[in-house]
Structure formats: C-alpha cells, structure tokens
Amino acid sequence: MLLKKIHRYLIIYPPIKLRRAYNYVFYTLLFKLKNIEFSAMPDIIGPFKIINNGVIKFGTGIRFYSTFKSNPIGMTKVCSIYVAEKASLSISNSAGFSGVSIYCAEEIIIGENFYCGANVSIWDTDFHPISFESRRQNEDHLAKTKKIVIGDDVFIGANSIILKGVTIGDRSVIGAGSIVTKSVPSNQIWAGNPAKFIKTLDN
C-alpha cells in the first residue's frame, strides 16, 4: 500500500526532472516486461494504464498526459491502451495524447506528428456482436473488428471517437466531439455525429 502511494506521488506531483528520471526507470522496466518496443521512452505525466497481449511499437517524441496540470482542458479519464492477442498497435514519431483510450483488437497504425485532443477514443472493434442471441451467450469473440489507419499530421479534436475500419488521410482534421464511422481523405475537415465532410484544406 505504501509503495503504491509513493508511486502515485512520484508520477503526478514531483518536479519535472525527478518525474522524468523516475518514469524512465519505471516504464523502461514495465515496457520490457510487457514486450513493448520503443525508439525513445514516451513522456508520461500522471496515471497510465497499458496491457499488451500482442505487439506495441512506439516511435520517438510521444506524450501521454493524464493530469489537469499537464492539460487543463478537462480530462474525464486517464490514458489507457489495450492490445489484444495477435493484435498490433504502432504509434510513430511526435504524437500527443491527453486522457486517450486506445483499444486494439486487430490493428491500429498512427502516423507522425499526430495531435489528439482530450478524451479521444480510438477503437478498432465493436466490442460486442450485433446479434442479441450472441450477446446473451457472451460471445464477444464474434464482435467485428477492422484495421484503423491514421496518417501523418492529423489532428483529432477533443471527445471524438474513431471507430473500426476508418482511415484518416494525411493532414486532415476531425472536429471536437465527432464520431468517425467512415474514412476521411487527406486534407479535409470532418465533424459531427456521424462525422461528415465540412471543407477541403488548402495546405
């Protein structure tokens, strides 16, 4: 119990140099135990939950923030990642997350220079089958899954949900509070529930 309190204090409250030194040691050991590949240790502020039963690869310059001090926008959850057996999650260089939820049942690929608003969810599965009979039998393994691909320089606004089978092209923007059910071409703004085309970006 005392060790848990010490750990919680060290990941949330200490001066930045002490926090980074502690995080580097703690998460290096944790990532090695969980077979997580990383080019450089992510910058992690606050609680961070990660379960890896498949393959996880992190690039450089990745940030996971879960505290009000690190992002005062109003997060409703801590950063969490779950990768199922035989699934694969790849996050490239320079990606920032605040209170993100990533659930990878098949494959999720996130490109470089990815900006992600607070409380975004990225799920490549329906979690439960459509058939009520299958749900009664708790046959969650029958839930549909489909790969998600997010390109380079994409920005996803706060409280958005990216659902299975979606590809978001390079440099596109998803408006806050959107639910993305269809693929988004490059250089476009989409927003709404479900997300729809708003305008083309002149990059």
Side-chain angles (χ1 to χ4, degrees), residues 1-198:
M1 194 69 178
L2 178 60
L3 288 175
K4 285 185 178 180
K5 288 183 178 180
I6 293 172
H7 171 66
R8 182 172 177 79
Y9 179 84
L10 286 173
I11 64 174
I12 297 177
Y13 300 111
I16 190 166
K17 288 184 178 180
L18 177 59
R19 173 183 58 77
R20 283 180 171 159
Y22 175 78
N23 278 356
Y24 182 84
V25 174
F26 177 81
Y27 286 110
T28 296
L29 293 173
L30 182 67
F31 284 12
K32 288 185 180 298
L33 287 172
K34 294 181 178 290
N35 297 315
I36 298 168
E37 299 179 32
F38 57 96
S39 299
M41 176 56 59
D43 186 23
I44 300 170
I45 300 178
F48 178 60
K49 299 178 180 180
I50 186 164
I51 294 175
N52 179 33
N53 296 312
V55 175
I56 296 179
K57 295 181 180 180
F58 291 148
T60 63
I62 297 174
R63 305 171 302 282
F64 293 104
Y65 297 162
S66 298
T67 65
F68 178 78
K69 186 175 181 180
S70 61
N71 188 336
I73 196 171
M75 286 175 285
T76 59
K77 57 182 183 287
V78 303
C79 289
S80 65
I81 294 174
Y82 181 91
V83 177
E85 187 177 357
K86 298 181 180 179
S88 173
L89 168 65
S90 174
I91 301 176
S92 195
N93 304 327
S94 301
F97 303 91
S98 296
V100 72
S101 166
I102 298 175
Y103 192 103
C104 179
E106 184 175 322
E107 185 175 12
I108 297 174
I109 299 173
I110 297 174
E112 296 194 350
N113 304 307
F114 176 63
Y115 282 79
C116 186
N119 308 315
V120 166
S121 298
I122 304 172
W123 304 328
D124 70 350
T125 175
D126 286 338
F127 293 103
H128 305 288
I130 298 298
S131 166
F132 75 90
E133 292 177 332
S134 296
R135 292 198 302 273
R136 283 182 178 181
Q137 300 301 319
N138 295 317
E139 295 175 323
D140 291 345
H141 63 281
L142 298 178
K144 292 182 179 180
T145 67
K146 197 170 183 182
K147 176 180 178 180
I148 291 174
V149 179
I150 299 174
D152 296 339
D153 298 289
V154 168
F155 173 55
I156 297 178
N159 300 303
S160 295
I161 301 175
I162 312 301
L163 296 177
K164 73 178 193 304
V166 165
T167 293
I168 300 177
D170 296 343
R171 299 171 298 279
S172 284
V173 174
I174 306 301
S178 298
I179 298 183
V180 184
T181 61
K182 297 180 180 179
S183 291
V184 176
S186 299
N187 302 308
Q188 292 188 358
I189 297 177
W190 283 49
N193 178 12
K196 296 180 180 179
F197 170 76
I198 303 298

